[in-house]
Amino acid sequence: MMSKLIYLFLIVIVLLQSCKKEEQKSFTILGEIDGIKKGKAILSKLDLTTNERVDVDSTTIKDGKFTFIGKVKNPYVHTIFINGNKQKIHLFLENSKISISGNKTKLEQVKITGSREDSLFRSYKLDDIFDRKKGMEIMIKYPDYSFAAFTAYYQFQIHNIAADTLATIMNNFTKPVQKTVYYQHLNTLYQTIKNVAISQSAPLFSIPNMQGKKVFLSEFRGKYVLLDFWASWCAPCRAENPKLVEVYNRFDDEKFTIIGISVDKSKKNWLQAIENDKLPWTQVSNLKGWDVVSGIYGVKAVPQNFLLDRNGIIIDKNITPENLLKKLESLLK
């Protein structure tokens, strides 16, 4: 009798453990937003390969409540759009039971519980992900979080981080994080960045200009060149354009020029932005969005730029117009 009880007890334990494991393989999002009677909620994410929004799921909102049930392979940043694209909630989604509560007038202040990754994500501001000091803190202090790999994915692009520091950050991530989508993309980016680091030769390319004629980077040897990656839809890019025009007009075109490399897809929007911003320098684009050229330079977000010397060697990256002016005045005085 006793052996049978022990046997039954062991079966129960195994079943409980199986259920527990099964629960960890899926997520449930329970949302309740005051001030919204009905509508539609869409769960979306950013595809790191195409840099485009992907709608994962949708559900109805009734009396302010909505539910999403599904699975994610690894923790990943998602966005819930409420009744359109203007009202949204960002969260770091993982396989757990997550509760969201708040008011429609203050969606940026919603309370989210149940996600370890999101707790860390929410303890920082979105701008902190791109800030050099805060970003470094996240990457160094939290190597066991996917959020740290997510942060590194953008930090590596926009800041000139020393090669040994990059290596330390990469090697510091724990094995579970190294299996995530963010780390996999980060590792690919890391290998690319090493090829476009300061002191490296800028990868050669040929891209059609506004008239469809191929422009070769090799044609610009003998002058300082700023490779400016931008897009018509990029607000920070457009805000920076007038300052770049001022810098460009300060120097002889035989000594310094700019090549604008657009990641646009719409030729109409691209040409209209060039006209509106009165950009006088060479403009090129494959009109394929994120393409081979942006890929070999490790550009996954804009604006970004690379300053090349007369021999096509990268001497600076992501330099502001103000610092670009000072540097060129020193180089060309």
Side-chain angles (χ1 to χ4, degrees), residues 120 123-124 128 131-143 147-148 151 155 169:
L120 181 61
S123 68
Y124 287 92
D128 292 341
D131 179 78
R132 188 182 185 96
K133 185 177 180 180
K134 287 289 185 180
M136 191 62 70
E137 175 185 299
I138 295 168
M139 293 185 292
I140 297 298
K141 287 181 65 176
Y142 305 103
F147 173 54
T151 301
Q155 285 283 320
I169 292 169

mmCIF file of all heavy atoms in Angstrom, residues 120 123-124 128 131-143 147-148 151 155 169:
data_model
loop_
_atom_site.group_PDB
_atom_site.id
_atom_site.type_symbol
_atom_site.label_atom_id
_atom_site.label_comp_id
_atom_site.label_asym_id
_atom_site.label_seq_id
_atom_site.Cartn_x
_atom_site.Cartn_y
_atom_site.Cartn_z
ATOM 1 N N LEU A 120 13.183 45.306 -15.844
ATOM 2 C CA LEU A 120 14.435 46.028 -16.085
ATOM 3 C C LEU A 120 14.253 47.044 -17.215
ATOM 4 O O LEU A 120 14.686 48.193 -17.104
ATOM 5 C CB LEU A 120 15.554 45.051 -16.450
ATOM 6 C CG LEU A 120 16.930 45.682 -16.705
ATOM 7 C CD1 LEU A 120 17.434 46.406 -15.457
ATOM 8 C CD2 LEU A 120 17.939 44.622 -17.147
ATOM 9 N N SER A 123 12.604 50.093 -16.018
ATOM 10 C CA SER A 123 13.336 50.888 -15.030
ATOM 11 C C SER A 123 14.214 51.944 -15.700
ATOM 12 O O SER A 123 14.777 52.802 -15.029
ATOM 13 C CB SER A 123 14.197 49.975 -14.145
ATOM 14 O OG SER A 123 15.257 49.400 -14.890
ATOM 15 N N TYR A 124 14.318 51.877 -17.031
ATOM 16 C CA TYR A 124 15.068 52.868 -17.802
ATOM 17 C C TYR A 124 14.125 53.595 -18.757
ATOM 18 O O TYR A 124 13.060 53.078 -19.107
ATOM 19 C CB TYR A 124 16.185 52.197 -18.609
ATOM 20 C CG TYR A 124 17.357 51.732 -17.786
ATOM 21 C CD1 TYR A 124 17.399 50.434 -17.269
ATOM 22 C CD2 TYR A 124 18.423 52.582 -17.515
ATOM 23 C CE1 TYR A 124 18.478 50.005 -16.512
ATOM 24 C CE2 TYR A 124 19.511 52.159 -16.759
ATOM 25 C CZ TYR A 124 19.534 50.864 -16.260
ATOM 26 O OH TYR A 124 20.602 50.452 -15.506
ATOM 27 N N ASP A 128 17.497 56.194 -22.724
ATOM 28 C CA ASP A 128 18.681 55.632 -22.062
ATOM 29 C C ASP A 128 19.330 54.539 -22.905
ATOM 30 O O ASP A 128 20.542 54.313 -22.812
ATOM 31 C CB ASP A 128 18.303 55.051 -20.692
ATOM 32 C CG ASP A 128 17.907 56.128 -19.694
ATOM 33 O OD1 ASP A 128 18.262 57.298 -19.926
ATOM 34 O OD2 ASP A 128 17.241 55.796 -18.702
ATOM 35 N N ASP A 131 21.684 56.434 -25.024
ATOM 36 C CA ASP A 131 22.652 57.268 -24.311
ATOM 37 C C ASP A 131 23.909 56.464 -24.018
ATOM 38 O O ASP A 131 23.833 55.316 -23.550
ATOM 39 C CB ASP A 131 22.033 57.776 -23.007
ATOM 40 C CG ASP A 131 22.998 58.618 -22.205
ATOM 41 O OD1 ASP A 131 23.190 59.787 -22.551
ATOM 42 O OD2 ASP A 131 23.570 58.079 -21.224
ATOM 43 N N ARG A 132 25.066 57.055 -24.292
ATOM 44 C CA ARG A 132 26.330 56.309 -24.143
ATOM 45 C C ARG A 132 26.551 55.819 -22.713
ATOM 46 O O ARG A 132 26.864 54.646 -22.488
ATOM 47 C CB ARG A 132 27.510 57.181 -24.592
ATOM 48 C CG ARG A 132 28.835 56.420 -24.643
ATOM 49 C CD ARG A 132 29.990 57.301 -25.049
ATOM 50 N NE ARG A 132 31.201 56.531 -25.196
ATOM 51 C CZ ARG A 132 31.671 56.046 -26.335
ATOM 52 N NH1 ARG A 132 31.005 56.278 -27.455
ATOM 53 N NH2 ARG A 132 32.773 55.336 -26.392
ATOM 54 N N LYS A 133 26.389 56.698 -21.733
ATOM 55 C CA LYS A 133 26.675 56.345 -20.343
ATOM 56 C C LYS A 133 25.672 55.331 -19.802
ATOM 57 O O LYS A 133 26.054 54.301 -19.221
ATOM 58 C CB LYS A 133 26.676 57.604 -19.476
ATOM 59 C CG LYS A 133 27.082 57.349 -18.030
ATOM 60 C CD LYS A 133 27.130 58.663 -17.245
ATOM 61 C CE LYS A 133 27.530 58.404 -15.792
ATOM 62 N NZ LYS A 133 27.579 59.666 -15.000
ATOM 63 N N LYS A 134 24.387 55.604 -19.995
ATOM 64 C CA LYS A 134 23.354 54.694 -19.504
ATOM 65 C C LYS A 134 23.397 53.357 -20.240
ATOM 66 O O LYS A 134 23.220 52.292 -19.640
ATOM 67 C CB LYS A 134 21.972 55.341 -19.671
ATOM 68 C CG LYS A 134 21.680 56.463 -18.703
ATOM 69 C CD LYS A 134 21.466 55.936 -17.292
ATOM 70 C CE LYS A 134 21.045 57.029 -16.344
ATOM 71 N NZ LYS A 134 20.826 56.527 -14.966
ATOM 72 N N GLY A 135 23.642 53.425 -21.544
ATOM 73 C CA GLY A 135 23.720 52.207 -22.325
ATOM 74 C C GLY A 135 24.855 51.312 -21.865
ATOM 75 O O GLY A 135 24.701 50.086 -21.762
ATOM 76 N N MET A 136 25.992 51.914 -21.579
ATOM 77 C CA MET A 136 27.139 51.141 -21.094
ATOM 78 C C MET A 136 26.803 50.495 -19.750
ATOM 79 O O MET A 136 27.183 49.344 -19.488
ATOM 80 C CB MET A 136 28.358 52.048 -20.964
ATOM 81 C CG MET A 136 29.668 51.317 -20.721
ATOM 82 S SD MET A 136 30.142 50.204 -22.068
ATOM 83 C CE MET A 136 30.551 51.406 -23.357
ATOM 84 N N GLU A 137 26.091 51.214 -18.913
ATOM 85 C CA GLU A 137 25.687 50.672 -17.614
ATOM 86 C C GLU A 137 24.822 49.433 -17.791
ATOM 87 O O GLU A 137 25.025 48.411 -17.119
ATOM 88 C CB GLU A 137 24.899 51.747 -16.853
ATOM 89 C CG GLU A 137 24.314 51.278 -15.532
ATOM 90 C CD GLU A 137 23.441 52.342 -14.886
ATOM 91 O OE1 GLU A 137 23.964 53.435 -14.589
ATOM 92 O OE2 GLU A 137 22.241 52.083 -14.684
ATOM 93 N N ILE A 138 23.866 49.504 -18.698
ATOM 94 C CA ILE A 138 22.968 48.368 -18.947
ATOM 95 C C ILE A 138 23.744 47.167 -19.457
ATOM 96 O O ILE A 138 23.568 46.037 -18.986
ATOM 97 C CB ILE A 138 21.866 48.765 -19.960
ATOM 98 C CG1 ILE A 138 20.951 49.848 -19.370
ATOM 99 C CG2 ILE A 138 21.038 47.535 -20.353
ATOM 100 C CD1 ILE A 138 20.027 50.489 -20.383
ATOM 101 N N MET A 139 24.633 47.396 -20.423
ATOM 102 C CA MET A 139 25.381 46.294 -21.038
ATOM 103 C C MET A 139 26.325 45.607 -20.055
ATOM 104 O O MET A 139 26.480 44.387 -20.082
ATOM 105 C CB MET A 139 26.158 46.813 -22.248
ATOM 106 C CG MET A 139 25.289 47.272 -23.401
ATOM 107 S SD MET A 139 26.249 47.734 -24.871
ATOM 108 C CE MET A 139 27.098 49.227 -24.315
ATOM 109 N N ILE A 140 26.960 46.398 -19.190
ATOM 110 C CA ILE A 140 27.945 45.846 -18.262
ATOM 111 C C ILE A 140 27.292 45.199 -17.038
ATOM 112 O O ILE A 140 27.698 44.124 -16.589
ATOM 113 C CB ILE A 140 28.928 46.951 -17.797
ATOM 114 C CG1 ILE A 140 29.733 47.494 -18.988
ATOM 115 C CG2 ILE A 140 29.862 46.422 -16.728
ATOM 116 C CD1 ILE A 140 30.605 46.453 -19.671
ATOM 117 N N LYS A 141 26.244 45.821 -16.508
ATOM 118 C CA LYS A 141 25.645 45.361 -15.257
ATOM 119 C C LYS A 141 24.676 44.190 -15.424
ATOM 120 O O LYS A 141 24.461 43.417 -14.492
ATOM 121 C CB LYS A 141 24.912 46.521 -14.562
ATOM 122 C CG LYS A 141 25.825 47.549 -13.929
ATOM 123 C CD LYS A 141 25.026 48.653 -13.242
ATOM 124 C CE LYS A 141 24.233 48.136 -12.065
ATOM 125 N NZ LYS A 141 23.526 49.228 -11.344
ATOM 126 N N TYR A 142 24.094 44.055 -16.611
ATOM 127 C CA TYR A 142 23.023 43.055 -16.764
ATOM 128 C C TYR A 142 23.282 42.091 -17.926
ATOM 129 O O TYR A 142 22.458 41.974 -18.841
ATOM 130 C CB TYR A 142 21.679 43.757 -16.952
ATOM 131 C CG TYR A 142 21.346 44.727 -15.855
ATOM 132 C CD1 TYR A 142 21.482 46.108 -16.049
ATOM 133 C CD2 TYR A 142 20.905 44.277 -14.615
ATOM 134 C CE1 TYR A 142 21.181 47.006 -15.026
ATOM 135 C CE2 TYR A 142 20.597 45.157 -13.594
ATOM 136 C CZ TYR A 142 20.736 46.526 -13.807
ATOM 137 O OH TYR A 142 20.442 47.402 -12.796
ATOM 138 N N PRO A 143 24.406 41.369 -17.907
ATOM 139 C CA PRO A 143 24.721 40.457 -19.011
ATOM 140 C C PRO A 143 23.816 39.228 -19.076
ATOM 141 O O PRO A 143 23.872 38.472 -20.041
ATOM 142 C CB PRO A 143 26.168 40.045 -18.713
ATOM 143 C CG PRO A 143 26.280 40.140 -17.224
ATOM 144 C CD PRO A 143 25.445 41.332 -16.845
ATOM 145 N N PHE A 147 17.498 42.226 -22.513
ATOM 146 C CA PHE A 147 17.419 43.681 -22.639
ATOM 147 C C PHE A 147 18.805 44.289 -22.834
ATOM 148 O O PHE A 147 18.967 45.280 -23.546
ATOM 149 C CB PHE A 147 16.743 44.274 -21.399
ATOM 150 C CG PHE A 147 16.747 45.772 -21.342
ATOM 151 C CD1 PHE A 147 16.244 46.530 -22.388
ATOM 152 C CD2 PHE A 147 17.273 46.436 -20.238
ATOM 153 C CE1 PHE A 147 16.253 47.913 -22.340
ATOM 154 C CE2 PHE A 147 17.292 47.815 -20.185
ATOM 155 C CZ PHE A 147 16.775 48.560 -21.238
ATOM 156 N N ALA A 148 19.820 43.699 -22.219
ATOM 157 C CA ALA A 148 21.186 44.205 -22.366
ATOM 158 C C ALA A 148 21.696 43.969 -23.784
ATOM 159 O O ALA A 148 22.367 44.820 -24.371
ATOM 160 C CB ALA A 148 22.110 43.533 -21.355
ATOM 161 N N THR A 151 19.970 46.470 -26.000
ATOM 162 C CA THR A 151 20.621 47.770 -25.860
ATOM 163 C C THR A 151 21.930 47.809 -26.642
ATOM 164 O O THR A 151 22.223 48.777 -27.343
ATOM 165 C CB THR A 151 20.887 48.079 -24.374
ATOM 166 O OG1 THR A 151 19.639 48.078 -23.657
ATOM 167 C CG2 THR A 151 21.555 49.436 -24.210
ATOM 168 N N GLN A 155 23.646 50.437 -29.245
ATOM 169 C CA GLN A 155 24.859 51.099 -28.773
ATOM 170 C C GLN A 155 26.029 50.878 -29.719
ATOM 171 O O GLN A 155 26.786 51.794 -30.012
ATOM 172 C CB GLN A 155 25.218 50.582 -27.378
ATOM 173 C CG GLN A 155 24.351 51.105 -26.248
ATOM 174 C CD GLN A 155 24.703 52.522 -25.840
ATOM 175 O OE1 GLN A 155 25.868 52.892 -25.773
ATOM 176 N NE2 GLN A 155 23.690 53.325 -25.577
ATOM 177 N N ILE A 169 32.181 43.151 -23.725
ATOM 178 C CA ILE A 169 30.708 43.126 -23.638
ATOM 179 C C ILE A 169 30.162 41.845 -24.267
ATOM 180 O O ILE A 169 29.312 41.165 -23.696
ATOM 181 C CB ILE A 169 30.105 44.362 -24.326
ATOM 182 C CG1 ILE A 169 30.450 45.626 -23.534
ATOM 183 C CG2 ILE A 169 28.586 44.225 -24.450
ATOM 184 C CD1 ILE A 169 30.123 46.926 -24.257
#
